[in-house]
Amino acid sequence: MAFISSGYNPAKPMENRITDIGPKHFEEFYPEVIKKNKGKWTHHEILEPGVLVHVSETGDEVYTVRCGGARLMSTTHINEICDIADKHCDGHLRFTTRNNIEFMVDSKDKVEPLKNDLKSRKFAGGSLKFPIGGTGAGITNIVHTQGWIHCHTPATDASGTVKSTMDALFDEFQNMRLPAHLRVSMACCLNMCGAVHCSDIAILGYHRKPPMLDHEYLDKLCEIPLAVAACPTAAIKPAKVTLANGTEVKSVEVKNERCMFCGNCYTMCPSMPLADTDGDGIVLMAGGKVSNRISDPKFSKVVVAFLPNEMPRWPSMTDAIKKMVNAYSNGANKYERLGDWAERIGWEKFFEVCELNFTHHLIDDFRQQAYMSWRQTTNFKF
Amino acid sequence: MAFISSGYNPAKPMENRITDIGPKHFEEFYPEVIKKNKGKWTHHEILEPGVLVHVSETGDEVYTVRCGGARLMSTTHINEICDIADKHCDGHLRFTTRNNIEFMVDSKDKVEPLKNDLKSRKFAGGSLKFPIGGTGAGITNIVHTQGWIHCHTPATDASGTVKSTMDALFDEFQNMRLPAHLRVSMACCLNMCGAVHCSDIAILGYHRKPPMLDHEYLDKLCEIPLAVAACPTAAIKPAKVTLANGTEVKSVEVKNERCMFCGNCYTMCPSMPLADTDGDGIVLMAGGKVSNRISDPKFSKVVVAFLPNEMPRWPSMTDAIKKMVNAYSNGANKYERLGDWAERIGWEKFFEVCELNFTHHLIDDFRQQAYMSWRQTTNFKF
Amino acid sequence: MAKHETPFLDQLESGPWPSFVSDMKQQAEVRAKNEAGVEFQIPQDCVDDLLGVVELSYKHGRTHWKHGGIVGVFGYGGGVIGRYCDQPSLFPGVEHFHTMRVNQPAGKYYSTEYLRSITKLWDLRGSGMTNMHGATGDIILLGTTTPQLEEVFWELTHNLGQDLGGSGSNLRTPADCLGTSRCEYSCYDTNSLVHFLTNEFQDELHRPAFPYKFKFKLDGCPNCCVASIARSDMSFIGTWKDDIKIDQDAVNKYIEQDPAYPSNAGAHKGRDWGPFDIQKEVINLCPTGCMKMVGKELKIDNANCTRCMHCINVMPRALKIGDVRGCSILCGAKAPILDGAQMGSLLVPFMEVNPDNDYEAITDLIENIWDWWMEEGKNRERLGELIMRQGFQKLLEVTGIEAVPQHVAYPRTNPYIFWREDEVPGGFERDVVEYRKHHLR
Amino acid sequence: MAKHETPFLDQLESGPWPSFVSDMKQQAEVRAKNEAGVEFQIPQDCVDDLLGVVELSYKHGRTHWKHGGIVGVFGYGGGVIGRYCDQPSLFPGVEHFHTMRVNQPAGKYYSTEYLRSITKLWDLRGSGMTNMHGATGDIILLGTTTPQLEEVFWELTHNLGQDLGGSGSNLRTPADCLGTSRCEYSCYDTNSLVHFLTNEFQDELHRPAFPYKFKFKLDGCPNCCVASIARSDMSFIGTWKDDIKIDQDAVNKYIEQDPAYPSNAGAHKGRDWGPFDIQKEVINLCPTGCMKMVGKELKIDNANCTRCMHCINVMPRALKIGDVRGCSILCGAKAPILDGAQMGSLLVPFMEVNPDNDYEAITDLIENIWDWWMEEGKNRERLGELIMRQGFQKLLEVTGIEAVPQHVAYPRTNPYIFWREDEVPGGFERDVVEYRKHHLR
Ligand code: SRM
Ligand code: SRM
Ligand code: SRM
Ligand code: SRM
Ligand code: SF4
Ligand code: SF4
Ligand code: SF4
Ligand code: SF4
Ligand code: SF4
Ligand code: SF4
Ligand code: SF4
Ligand code: SF4
């Protein structure tokens, strides 16, 4: 189809250029009831899973219906969201920090019609378009990353692992029967764009083979000193290599036994790819949190060193996750986050009740602070 | 006086030589009641400060009277201890792991005469020879090191700081009125021969000036590569130096701003002394423990970055220690060790109630694990 | 008819959770039919090819995207992530497939009017696929070709009044929780501050001058709903300095199990946890043990409260945040590359959040930190790593903040103190000859 | 008359605590008078000069001892610490002033006969000053001259049946708590094991073959009265595997405040802490929360007990250690030089302590660890530092111990797992040409 100009003139890029205007002002987007009651909210209640009411000192109320969704979203789907908001919410809506959609109405009687509308919508394949839930002591949407949809470094897919996990945990999205919030996060490589390092349960894509070396092209495509410097374990050295055809080229050498498969070299140099069908897969972490409630925020711990990529639904992964969620649900006290529970019963019991294997991989050996994770006491359970 | 030969012949060192026979066998030294009831003890009681009874399943009892003492001990004093043991204890006694002396008798009626004897003995200068105490929830003898009595690297004296501290805390040695054990330890440099790194309160000698360089002699007295390698912060470099008289010698150079005054270089090279009247002094640490009771063993924390050496009684040091002991005594729960108390109230409150200054020196900046000691939460008290 | 067979992906259409595959198929079909008559500026079948390339990844267990080249819009060093397919002949529709990061509004509130203007633009000039939202917070417009980048930017700025977000060694798009807009716990107006900071630092957001990326996140209270403490080089977390406000009548409503006073505002309704027990659920769980009931009155020893939010979360109608409000500022959070993950470390226990002076205290602090990091930070060294390398003291020094015990969880366990020469009487220079008079060799 | 004026030290004679100054003065006087007619083999006034040199240090605030030269007894690489005064002309009596470390008996029990034989020897051949005991455990004979070293050694071995202890890059003198000899908590006979290990490893104790020092310490139970967990490269801490034995009648005696059942065996008698409250003082303080009262019966869920000793310490007449006894073994404790202090890390959760087979399991483990450390340890690298450098996994590997969750306080927080090639299907070698078929450059 024909090129349509926006008005931009490539020959004079600075002509009429507008820059540095920032985002739209939020006030334009507030629903009326929000604008009016901002800073005046006195309390809230979760009426049922996915439905909240916030009450203002003015007497106003705002009812919020929260829906899950794939974060990967088509414009068609967004337009449908807009249709709903136009119909029920005076043309306003918001997204949460975990990629749920929130529809807000200013009186109770508008809630049921909205809910019914949302529940009625399904994709052709059968899945719900707008499942209501994600509030309170349950599981909400999974914060995640690009995976095979868009990134160059993933060791697994993001959207697929998330869909599989949310299907497996769906009841917990629509119920509030866990001891506390349980946040699941996903990142497809250890750049950890999903910030899985502080989640109750985290799914992480991980490589297990050192980079391949595309010697013929390496020096052409990469800056060798940058590649060498990129390696946190100093596994990479510059080297001269003789190709099959006899030519000698500048390249690098990798000390495989020092490699921890972080992919940092590949970030700096496309001639050092790590991806491998058998090598790549999933690490599961658990016990992290972000809130300061009762206990301090804490890092997630590696609880399953590796699971292979089992496309398209990663059953071993969802199994292990369900085991953790169930054991936690049965064992923890009200208000107790997964990591606090694991610490209370002891990690040795965690592995027992979650029926997970402990292997030497789970013992820290990275840098000196690894020491802090070893057990410096006789206080342990047999 | 005339040389008296033991029988050793320097010309034939191997003649009749006896080696590798180890220590004496402990059974030779057990008091009768110990020999008979070893492994059969059913329980014990601390009858009063310094006096314990252990009861055996055979019905036997052993009464122990524990006395403090300077660990630096003359043979005259040891002979006096032997006199007492001969008189009351059938010629047996023991020392504890904290350098107290334990006199044991096998029946209750022998306790009072023993105690009276012990109490009656004083040094000419007025101090007690055998103060009874050191049991239970109080302060016992201070584990300590050589100091100016014998070592080449101390930053303070050991015996003098200990004497001053024990005088200041003497009531706590003879009473059992603290919330729990409170162990004070002392080490005169950070080699920490007194293992002060896990004590409720620790006195540590510390240098604050980088090594002096005795260039003229350095290469003669030291192996330069060993001195260079000794430095944990890589502050030392080999260097050529021109002396006042114009001769050029091999020596080393110290990057002062990288020096943390550990003295490791001096251990390897006598031409790099650190000791300095103004530079040297005392660091106080607190909150460590060794037992696994209730909480895990933990490291002491630096709570006073520096106090000058105030000979002969270090009043600023004993003041700070007393402040800590008093605040602990007033604030902690029964069975609560000092470190557990500090953690419960928060270190910010510890400094407040102990009336100690917090300075930037107390923030860790050594190696990456320093990070773990910073506060990664909004949970703090104003 | 789908362009590519997708037997693997098809299996991800079942199950209750919204299927991204179904949505992509719907989008592919909408584009194929083009009932709206859009003059697509990038391949009409790009979503078909996206399905195809992802299916291939499901078969291989490997990504089929290459390293992005450096593409972007003129004068900006961020906002665009270049991306090319490594099987362009199989999937020509996604041969070039760059994303554009569009700076989301504070609190992520939208009008449908605005959203529709975005979808319209993206249908015309991009794949029509998005992420709502990226993990940093941006609206991610997923997939377009190089020539369209400037066009999209022009339309955004001229017609939508909307700028790009960050990428590269820039300030990244700041993000916030919804704050006072709809939350009674919020100690300051996160939406206003995030909007202000974003605009104040447009230059830093768009033009790479930093050693590496830099993130702000703003949480209205210690519940941390935008996870600032884990994911931002500087996090601003609302807090208060005075007492928790107590409504004793409401406390007793909770104790009496009044149905309008469910524990934790109803968050645990899905299971029968037994009747609410204030002792067990609030007082005993208070991490500092600073609460007690005296008769029918709840007492809080506020000097010992760490404002962890637990009691307030459990009884929001009875307990309210204090009135002397501001924020705590923590520095250095980041993901594990390279030296391990960090959470933010507390730098400022309490700072006022004052729009009336343009948040002067906050912007001053930011600028001091940036000056230091730009001076001392190595290439690809995050603020947290610089703090680790040069020490927390250095951070205090460059920001002119005095050390307080609040800065540490516990004081150092090693005595390795680096005394400065000016702190030690007599300094470091000594006279070895004089020394040797008293200490023979 | 004192040889040197000691105005500083004199001030340390007052106060209740035994004065080392008074003792030294008494000793100086005894030597000066020499009523026993000893033929002193080192200067008679050495204690006077010791007082003098220490006084000078009190004046200067600096030590007056020099680096020790390498002195010792023939064939041994340890047991003697050389020491010279840096002001020999002022204090000729302590010009040479070496210490000898004499291996203490297990549990530090003594007969007066033995002690007198030591004091006699040391009056003759040394300063008559000692440390009872050194921080590692030895009897420290403080101060003699080089020629006397062999003489003392000869007399010790020939007449006293007594060997030296350790110093240098050797095994150091092992030490123990008194164990079963007088403690009802002891889970094994520490005295026997420490004696056995000391004799079994005499060679390692006397002849330097290690990268650095190495220490054993043996505690009979987790109370850790010899502080093994903080101060020994290998610590052996008694423990049990089965249930805590409960005498319910005795429990009720404690509850009823029977005066023969004081809490914690009377350790808190000095203050009125109010009547004993089993709930508050035992059950609520149990770190695992595994105890409760059911009517008049105390119940312990032993599977969740970590054997921390608290309840047993509080009620020793009611609660007793279990019957399946052995020890936990922890590795790597050390003082802060160079890389920071370490406590021991748990290597063996439970090991039998079996004299009938010469403690085979324990000696095997020790030898595996030493083989590794001697092979891989750098000069002046303690075991703990080697474990840090090569990883805890390596320690498991060389000792043939399987990883169990007991080894960690918590699993690793970083995913940086060093997979070995043989653990990954297909290994590490790959074919880039084949790869490029599917992934164009
Ligand atoms: C809407 C949202 C903020 C936003 O700007 O979008 C939000 C909103 C609320 N949060 Fe949150 N939180 C939101 C993400 C978070 C996150 C961030 C995350 O998960 O990435 C956290 C940190 C989680 C963590 O620690 O790992 C978070 C930790 C909390 C907590 C602390 C819970 C805890 O037990 O630790 C509370 C307090 C509570 O639930 O009582 C809380 C409470 C609330 C309240 C009750 C605040 C209020 O009065 O309105 C809101 C509704 C609660 C609910 O959903 O049950 N919010 N909340 C976010 C919804 C995400 C979603 O779609 O599910
Ligand atoms: C005699 C001695 C062992 C020896 O072989 O010499 C010993 C003996 C006893 N200890 Fe100990 N402990 C001895 C050093 C230690 C040490 C080591 C140290 O301080 O360097 C510790 C570790 C301290 C620490 O954690 O920092 C120690 C921590 C304990 C504990 C745990 C206390 C706690 O609250 O954490 C107990 C249990 C108790 O007191 O109920 C204990 C209990 C006991 C009992 C009650 C054991 C028994 O049944 O006989 C003994 C008498 C208690 C008393 O003195 O109050 N013993 N005890 C040591 C006496 C030292 C002294 O002269 O004062
Ligand atoms: C005598 C004694 C202190 C005392 O007054 O009791 C002592 C004295 C010395 N120690 Fe020590 N250490 C003594 C127990 C300790 C302990 C405690 C223990 O063994 O339980 C430690 C801490 C535990 C440990 O081993 O880590 C200890 C950690 C050190 C260190 C630091 C080692 C490290 O790896 O961090 C050094 C430095 C060195 O080896 O160069 C050291 C070095 C020294 C030297 C040899 C100084 C030197 O660098 O040459 C001291 C000789 C002093 C002298 O003139 O007599 N000493 N040393 C202790 C030995 C007596 C004995 O045999 O019973
Ligand atoms: C799009 C997004 C993931 C998503 O699906 O949402 C993303 C995608 C990428 N991130 Fe990220 N990061 C995204 C949020 C994050 C976050 C989360 C956050 O900001 O809260 C983190 C963890 C927090 C942090 O900053 O530490 C994150 C930590 C990284 C890192 C590791 C940085 C570190 O210091 O440890 C890298 C590696 C790098 O910079 O080379 C990285 C690199 C990348 C690159 C640019 C890959 C690369 O090396 O070139 C990814 C491009 C993917 C693509 O093809 O589009 N991304 N990245 C997120 C940005 C969207 C947005 O603007 O809203
Ligand atoms: S986590 Fe890794 S693979 Fe996934 S989007 Fe981020 S950089 Fe790409
Ligand atoms: S993957 Fe990481 S550890 Fe391995 S060579 Fe590359 S940069 Fe180094
Ligand atoms: S602590 Fe230091 S100064 Fe004191 S005895 Fe040990 S090595 Fe010597
Ligand atoms: S004192 Fe320690 S840090 Fe300073 S130069 Fe010597 S070895 Fe290095
Ligand atoms: S962080 Fe606090 S203020 Fe912000 S939404 Fe969450 S609960 Fe409300
Ligand atoms: S906010 Fe937390 S610390 Fe403060 S009173 Fe409430 S529960 Fe306790
Ligand atoms: S460590 Fe245990 S067994 Fe040994 S003396 Fe102390 S309490 Fe008794
Ligand atoms: S030993 Fe410790 S953990 Fe075990 S029951 Fe007693 S108090 Fe609880």
Side-chain angles (χ1 to χ4, degrees), chain B residues 320-356:
Chain B
I321 292 174
K322 277 183 91 163
K323 280 197 236 163
M324 286 192 266
V325 173
N326 288 341
Y328 164 67
S329 180
N330 295 334
N333 297 330
K334 191 177 176 190
Y335 307 113
E336 194 173 39
R337 295 286 296 262
L338 191 141
D340 293 328
W341 164 68
E343 285 172 14
R344 176 170 59 81
I345 65 170
W347 283 98
E348 60 275 39
K349 287 283 161 190
F350 172 90
F351 285 92
E352 191 179 310
V353 297
C354 294
E355 296 167 41
L356 298 175

Side-chain angles (χ1 to χ4, degrees), chain B residues 145-147 151-156 158 187-194, chain D residues 83:
Chain B
T145 51
Q146 297 295 334
C151 200
H152 61 140
T153 62
T156 191
C188 32
C189 86
L190 63 72
N191 284 337
M192 286 201 189
C193 299
Chain D
R83 191 65 72 221

